[in-house]
Amino acid sequence: MNLCFLGSSQRLIGNQIIPRAYWIFLCRYLNQSRDYDWIPPKWRLTTLEEMAKMEVKTSLLDDMIGVGDMVLLEPLNEDSFINNLKKRFDHNEVYTYIGSVVISINPYRSLPIYTPEKVEEYRNRNFYELSPHMIHASPVVQCVNMQLVLECWLTDHEENVIFFYENLEIKGEVIISFALSDEAYRSLRDQDKDQCILITGESGAGKTEASKLVMSYVAAVCGKGAEVNQVKEQLLQSNPVLEAFGNAKTVRNDNSSRFGKYMDIEFDFKGDPLGGVISNYLLEKSRVVKQPRGERNFHIFYQILSGASEEFLCKLKLERDFSRYNYLGLDSAKVNGVDDASNFRTVRNAMQIVGFMDHETQSVFEVVAAVLKLGNIEFKPESRANGLDESKIKDKNELKEICELTGIDQSVLERAFSFRTVEAKQEKVSTTLNVAQAYYARDALAKNLYSRLFSWLVTRINESIKAQTKVRKKVMGVLDIYGFEIFEDNSFEQFIINYCNEKLQQIFIELTLKEEQEEYIREGIEWTNIEYFNNAIICDLIENNQTGILAMLDEECLRPGTVTDDTFLEKLNQVCATHQHFESRMSKCSRFLNDTSLPHSCFRIQHYAGKVMYQVEGFVDKNNDLLYRDLSQAMWKANHSLIKALFPEGNPAKINLKRPPTAGSQFKASVATLMKNLQTKNPNYIRCIKPNDKKAAHIFNDALVCHQIRYLGLLENVRVRRAGYAFRQAYEPCLERYKMLCKQTWPHWRGPARAGVEVLFDELGIPEEEFSFGRSKIFIRNPRTARKLLRELKHLKRCNEAATIIAAYWHGTQARGELRRLKEEARNKHAIAVIWACWLGYKARRELKRLKEEARRKHAVAVIWAYWLGLKCKKYRDQFTDQQKLIYEEKLEASELFKDKKALYPASVGQPFQGAYLEISENPKYKKLKDAVDEKIIIAEVVNKINRANGKATSRIFLLTKNNVLLADQKNGTIKSEVPLGDVTKVSMSSQNDGFFAVHLKEGSEAASKGDFLLSSDHLIEMATKLYRTTLSQTKQKLNIEISDEFLVQFKQDKVCVKFIQGSQKNGNIPTCKRKNNRLLEVAVP
């Protein structure tokens, strides 16, 4: 029959349109009961009956190209294994099972098999439930030739009915990675088991793309909602950022991960993501300064130069030409099929989504630009008087631009490139750097700057994506780590990478081959042991704490004396010579003495993936990973918040003479933590295989694939799976899940769980050869048997669902009648509510009118009263004379200047400001002074001038006129000092109850030659107020009044601090001044 989807509410069979709800019931009931008598005549079609009578196929492997699960491959040998992979690869089927392990072959091209429809198809399906297919559909209408029974149900997250089709006879592609991801996700969500997905393989095998597909699938099938969608988007967008800064083109892979990444995605009890935590492992920072031929530096350098605007490049002091930068290899700067400019826009957008602020993004790119420009700094030798060579920078323009970018003092950074300071205990020794050492320092700084920036990026991303809630979380880990590497020149980085892969292979062996066989023995299942290669001996060669290669390398780095790569190799030749997986031309083992393929400066390790020859040159330096302290301190002094944060050890206050841990020991500890983390989770494996070394589509190199199959132990894995059991479960959960299939075990089984499972399997008629009873688990050999149990369980559940739907229709009819009654009752209540509301509204409006009238009366009274008070105030003010007005203005000015600031102010409020406290014109003693002053005297008062030498006071007459401040001798009236008001800059006084004040004079003025005046007066508030008002009147500038218990006074060439303290005095309540030293006068205030 032909079935056509029209929408979420209608279905079409032939020419009949069937309501959605009846359609759901129809499909379910026909599949369960085979009863057609109840079907309404207008829907009764022969094709529909035939559809329900169709025989359902039971094998997921029907109509599949080749064999989809290697466990079922016949005959099983290396040739048939490779031929099956090749056959499937030629038909674009790049995924194959080994039981629950997935083999993924990199197609080196995009395949149309990762659509949203495929995601929905694999959602909530059992691991072996779907056969390989693709439904070819148009965007609007889907028409399918149905030959099988339709199975449909409502999903958890969608309102519409989603139809799933089993075993459609349509050739297509299976998304096995989706199946594995869904199995892991559902195990985490439904069974509360933490999961991890381990993606392993050689460099270029497609691990990074596989990890992104896994994360995309998990994001697609979990819940919806604004908050959940934001978390999912941030988790997904962290990938472009880390790829840009941590991936590079190599000879084997255009997007090779040059760091290891493990992401823990955290979920709540519903299976919705809460956040995540990313761990990174050993960025290959040596790539920053040097790349092998045919390879590139990290993507971000090329992306900035290609995609940034001219304005942005100008801010970063960069040019678009790649050839301008020594750190960028030119032979492979452009990569076919890679749009660096577009990728740069993607990275900037991703950083914004993840949560980077604009200033943080700017700071990150400034650091990247600084690293790029560091490579352009070149040095030249220069001889010193002592005969030693010293390095000098050839062209300081690049250095200047770097310092402008990073906010570092140019002279500080230039010295750090020319000198090295060695500190031991309390001694510091500064030595010059020759040209070679200067280049080493430059490259070390560039590597450290970039690697620390990368670590900061990971930390910053973690801050954004971490779970905000503290509830218990379920965790799914996704491991995407660099693959096994064998290059022409293999150094310390390849050694560390291959060590990590050895550990991953070891955990695969332990959890798939060793653990499975040991489980059969523990459970008492009859078992013939299968031999396999255990690489634990290789891991021990590298990581043993006493005799391991890493331990020997650390020992060489830490021991005193001359340490070189050659001394390290000699030590290896002594300790590891007899190890069967270690080879060296200089070792005691005579079989390698004449091996010309093994140079004297190299050693070779027989890894699980093959023999790798390592050049020992650079091992010691890269393991030491030293950065001169001068450079760290120069970076810490930068006026750039990010760079300063990247080098905390540069802080002189936190100098630590303890040697930092070596790169090898840090990586070893990180790998140990990773392995411990992985062993706490249920593993799911994707084994990636590279079909050819040319990175080309449609090419399958049998020899290359065979080599990978051998070292990955895939054949041994198949043999263990074939000899073993596909499904196992503890007796208690097995009985709890399937007990409804047997009348004797339903609803409650009173005996032991194992006995209940035995009764259940006997009742279901499952052949004895299909299962075995262990000590604590039931083992089922064939996946078909497990699927039979699931089908039986689903059949019963569907029967229950059918009864539920019929009951739902009846309850719906009753509910609709009750709804009509409630609506009528609600209308009556609404009418009453409206009438009552109108009455209340009328009362409220009447009350409002009364209140408004009352408010208007009160406002009128207030206005009349205000006018009356204003009239009285005006009448009172009109009685003031000009002198009285001036006094009140001065009092108001004093209030603004000193109220709540000077303790002396409250006592001055009640005292009138007299101004002339001395009758100069009437006293003949001051005749000479009167003749000398021809201006109006605003204030005349006797003050005490403080002597800086001893703090003692001398009486002086203080005169303030319209233009000058004068100090005269009290005895004879001789003028001692005359200062124009324009030269007075500030008046300082304490906040306490004293009369001391300082008059500060303008520097360089004639009056300031003897320094400032430190005076004491009983009328301080009046004097300061009049001086302030007179200065403002004459100079049009406000005089600065500083109130502080500690201020500086200029005495000739020296500055003396005047400090006010509290204390009891011998002179009663009179403050006293005492000199403490040449720089301090102390005033004791009671």
Side-chain angles (χ1 to χ4, degrees), residues 339-400:
D339 187 348
D340 288 319
S342 175
N343 290 340
F344 179 70
R345 292 188 291 271
T346 301
V347 170
R348 294 204 68 169
N349 182 58
M351 293 178 76
Q352 186 176 5
I353 292 173
V354 170
F356 284 81
M357 307 299 289
D358 289 342
H359 72 273
E360 290 178 320
T361 304
Q362 178 70 24
S363 295
V364 167
F365 289 130
E366 285 173 352
V367 174
V368 173
V371 170
L372 200 55
K373 296 180 76 62
L374 273 173
N376 291 350
I377 295 179
E378 296 182 345
F379 302 93
K380 61 182 179 181
E382 186 173 295
S383 298
R384 302 184 68 190
N386 57 8
L388 296 176
D389 282 343
E390 178 184 346
S391 65
K392 289 291 183 182
I393 296 175
K394 288 183 180 179
D395 181 5
K396 296 184 181 180
N397 186 53
E398 291 285 356
L399 181 68
K400 178 184 176 184

Side-chain angles (χ1 to χ4, degrees), residues 920-921 923-933 972-973:
I920 296 177
S921 60
N923 194 334
K925 183 171 63 172
Y926 301 132
K927 183 177 183 304
K928 183 179 179 180
L929 179 60
K930 178 184 176 183
D931 295 340
V933 179
N972 52 29

Side-chain angles (χ1 to χ4, degrees), residues 981-984 1028 1030-1039:
L981 286 180
D983 290 344
V984 178
Y1028 176 85
T1030 306
T1031 304
L1032 179 61
S1033 173
Q1034 295 302 313
T1035 66
K1036 307 303 181 184
Q1037 293 181 351
K1038 291 183 179 180
L1039 179 63

Side-chain angles (χ1 to χ4, degrees), residues 148-178:
L148 304 170
V149 179
L150 281 169
E151 176 189 354
C152 60
W153 62 86
L154 288 169
T155 63
D156 294 336
H157 302 293
E158 301 291 342
E159 293 181 1
N160 298 336
V161 175
I162 298 174
F163 284 80
F164 292 87
Y165 309 96
E166 291 187 358
N167 304 297
L168 299 182
E169 290 189 349
I170 300 172
K171 293 184 180 180
E173 179 54 60
V174 62
I175 318 302
I176 295 180
S177 65
F178 281 2

Side-chain angles (χ1 to χ4, degrees), residues 12-46:
L12 182 68
I13 298 181
N15 296 321
Q16 302 288 338
I17 295 179
I18 303 174
R20 171 175 176 266
Y22 285 106
W23 173 251
I24 297 172
F25 176 74
L26 171 66
C27 293
R28 287 178 174 166
Y29 188 82
L30 285 179
N31 190 35
Q32 294 157 7
S33 65
R34 304 294 195 264
D35 179 12
Y36 314 108
D37 296 334
W38 64 275
I39 302 176
K42 65 176 180 179
W43 295 348
R44 191 174 297 169
L45 302 171
T46 305

Side-chain angles (χ1 to χ4, degrees), residues 48 100 116 197 470 563 638 752 812 835 898 1012:
L48 186 61
S100 60
I197 298 178
K470 294 184 179 180
V563 176
I835 296 170
F898 302 110
D1012 301 335

